[in-house]
């Protein structure tokens, strides 16, 4: 009786603890739930198939055998496949998945460095993007962007596992301004900058890139620790961005207002 | 009559072979997918789980479906 009373006191005291005293828990996501259910389905299917096909095939009724095969060879594998696809679609969004290939370390470390002034680091430390920062900036919006992201991810994976990538890493694709403008465009802070208004047409048409003024987005090859830059860069230095010069000349020619450049 | 029995036995044997093959493919595929689900997104686990495991699973499922269709034909549930 005393034991029960003690347990009740402990449970009641736990229940009385205010909510803010608990650690902040996000709870399980649907993707994580599907992953765990997939693990269970796979284990059940493996054990079931081995038992039925190799040990109990002649001991059980033919109809039961067929039902086990139906579950183990069709239903559970289909669920396992859906679980794997959901997991891969969900996990490829995370920063951890990008960092899982060590060639991405300089970029991820820089982004998470509170002392870095790169555009990615400023977005990260100021929580302008709450989570999945790599995915948010490197994927265009809509299903088209998602498919392009998966295609590029597959290409990156192939280059990594076959060790056919070249150092220093460079961004090969084009970067549409809509990725930036979908969040920043139209905000009072954005519109308050004279150059944004002046260059509105060029920004919308992707004739001028946001990163021209707001870079560097990531550390340059010379700034990346552990990366040996190519001989060209060592001898000639980083190539001067011609677009930056062109934008400065263009802005000077059309406005007398000083260009605001985010630091 | 003997020919018919021989033919049915032959079909039964081929169905059993298909089922055994689909079980082997299925088990290999499930093991690969299991590794991916357990270890999460890593360069090696994606290779094994997604690019090897899923095709193996699909092959297992296809073989199973072929075996089921043959079995149904054998029992005259579906006709050619």
């Amino acid at each position: 009786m005393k034991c029960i009373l003690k347990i009740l006191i402990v449970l009641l005291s736990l229940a009385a603890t205010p909510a803010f005293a608990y650690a902040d828990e996000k709870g399980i996501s649907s993707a994580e739930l599907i992953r765990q259910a997939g693990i269970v389905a796979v284990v059940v299917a493996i054990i079931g198939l081995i038992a039925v096909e190799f040990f109990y095939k002649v001991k059980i009724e033919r109809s039961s055998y067929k039902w086990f095969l139906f579950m183990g060879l069709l239903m559970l594998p289909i669920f396992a496949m859906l679980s794997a696809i959901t997991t891969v679609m969900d996990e490829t969004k995370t920063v951890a998945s990008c960092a899982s290939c060590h060639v991405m370390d300089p970029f991820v470390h820089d982004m998470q460095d509170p002392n870095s002034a790169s555009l990615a680091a400023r977005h990260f430390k100021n929580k302008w993007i709450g989570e999945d920062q790599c995915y948010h900036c490197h994927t265009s919006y809509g299903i088209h962007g998602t498919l392009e992201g998966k295609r590029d991810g597959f290409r990156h994976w192939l280059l990594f596992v076959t060790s056919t990538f070249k150092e220093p890493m460079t961004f090969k694709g084009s970067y549409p301004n809509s990725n930036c403008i979908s969040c920043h465009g139209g905000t009072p802070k954005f519109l308050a900058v004279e150059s944004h208004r002046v260059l509105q047409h060029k920004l919308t048409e992707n004739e001028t890139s946001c990163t021209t003024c707001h870079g560097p987005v990531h550390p340059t090859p010379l700034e990346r620790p552990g990366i040996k830059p190519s001989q060209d860069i060592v001898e000639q230095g980083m190539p001067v961005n011609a677009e930056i010069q062109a934008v400065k000349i263009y802005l000077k020619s059309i406005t007398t207002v000083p260009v605001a450049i985010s630091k | 009559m003997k020919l018919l029995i021989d033919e049915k036995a032959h079909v039964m044997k081929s169905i059993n072979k298909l089922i055994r093959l689909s079980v082997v493919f299925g088990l290999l595929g499930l093991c690969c997918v299991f590794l991916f689900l357990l270890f999460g997104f890593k360069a090696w686990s994606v290779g094994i789980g997604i690019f090897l495991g899923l095709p193996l699973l699909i092959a297992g499922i296809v073989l199973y479906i072929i075996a089921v269709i043959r079995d149904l034909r054998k029992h005259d549930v579906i006709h050619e």
Side-chain angles (χ1 to χ4, degrees):
Chain A
M1 189 64 190
K2 275 184 180 177
C3 184
I4 294 168
L5 204 65
K6 277 179 187 173
I7 291 168
L8 271 175
I9 289 167
V10 170
L11 286 174
L12 283 172
S13 63
L14 280 174
T17 310
F20 56 80
Y22 294 114
D24 185 24
E25 285 181 11
K26 275 188 175 177
I28 193 166
S29 66
S30 56
E32 177 60 19
L33 192 69
I34 291 171
R35 187 183 77 88
Q36 290 180 8
I39 291 173
V40 174
V42 167
V43 171
V44 170
I46 289 172
I47 294 170
L49 278 177
I50 291 172
V52 165
E53 186 63 21
F54 299 105
F55 296 104
Y56 295 103
K57 189 176 176 179
V58 288
K59 291 177 188 169
I60 57 173
E61 282 181 25
R62 190 74 183 165
S63 60
S64 306
Y65 170 71
K66 283 181 178 177
W67 272 111
F68 274 114
L69 287 184
F70 176 70
M71 289 305 292
L73 282 175
L74 194 71
M75 299 311 286
L76 291 174
I78 286 174
F79 185 74
M81 279 166 61
L82 289 175
S83 172
I85 290 166
T86 308
T87 304
V88 81
M89 294 296 261
D90 189 66
E91 284 209 20
T92 42
K93 291 178 183 175
T94 62
V95 174
S97 76
C98 299
S100 66
C101 294
H102 63 83
V103 288
M104 285 292 126
D105 283 351
F107 303 96
V108 175
H109 289 162
D110 171 77
M111 184 181 76
Q112 293 170 340
D113 178 7
N115 298 319
S116 172
S118 69
L119 192 65
R122 280 182 281 151
H123 275 79
F124 186 83
K125 69 184 165 194
N126 292 311
K127 291 212 171 212
W128 290 333
I129 302 171
E131 54 187 11
D132 305 337
Q133 289 84 0
C134 306
Y135 183 81
H136 270 280
C137 285
H138 283 279
T139 312
S140 303
Y141 288 85
I143 186 73
H144 176 68
T146 307
L147 291 174
E148 271 186 353
K150 301 305 169 199
R151 182 203 62 196
D152 288 344
F154 175 68
R155 189 169 54 83
H156 292 163
W157 174 83
L158 211 57
L159 287 170
F160 181 75
V161 294
T162 54
S163 294
T164 48
F165 59 89
K166 285 179 184 168
E167 291 284 15
M169 305 285 281
T170 50
F171 185 62
K172 297 280 194 313
S174 60
Y175 194 86
N177 290 337
S178 58
N179 285 7
C180 308
I181 291 170
S182 59
C183 289
H184 294 284
T187 60
K189 205 174 174 184
F190 178 85
L191 294 171
V193 180
E194 181 70 20
S195 57
H196 290 164
R197 291 202 299 272
V198 171
L199 287 168
Q200 192 172 14
H201 178 71
K202 281 181 175 286
L203 288 171
T204 311
E205 296 296 316
N206 283 318
E207 287 173 22
T208 298
S209 172
C210 299
T211 55
T212 304
C213 294
H214 294 280
V217 182
H218 291 296
T220 58
L222 291 172
E223 294 166 337
R224 293 174 206 163
I227 301 295
K228 195 181 171 188
S230 66
Q231 197 59 31
D232 294 351
I233 290 172
V234 173
E235 286 172 2
Q236 298 164 15
M238 285 296 291
V240 177
N241 192 335
E243 198 185 359
I244 292 173
Q245 298 299 328
V247 167
K248 281 181 180 172
I249 293 163
Y250 175 74
L251 285 170
K252 209 173 181 180
S253 69
I254 58 170
T255 178
T256 52
V257 180
V259 181
I261 295 175
S262 172
K263 291 284 175 192
Chain B
M1 188 67 182
K2 192 175 178 289
L3 266 174
L4 198 70
I5 292 166
D6 280 353
E7 198 186 323
K8 279 206 169 182
H10 178 72
V11 172
M12 190 67 198
K13 209 175 173 183
S14 76
I15 289 168
N16 282 339
K17 260 188 186 175
L18 269 176
I19 291 286
R20 179 57 63 92
L21 202 61
S22 71
V23 167
V24 171
F25 273 108
L27 282 172
L28 287 172
L30 285 168
C31 287
C32 293
V33 170
F34 179 67
L35 284 175
F36 170 71
L37 290 174
L38 204 63
F39 289 97
F41 190 96
K42 305 271 189 304
W44 66 268
S45 67
V46 170
I48 291 172
I50 301 296
F51 298 123
L52 181 66
L54 292 192
L56 280 171
L57 265 186
I58 290 168
I61 290 169
V62 169
L63 287 173
Y64 171 71
I65 290 168
I66 292 169
V68 169
I69 290 169
R70 282 192 186 176
D71 195 40
L72 292 173
R73 272 185 189 160
K74 194 191 81 170
H75 290 98
D76 284 335
V77 178
I78 51 172
H79 308 280
E80 288 193 35

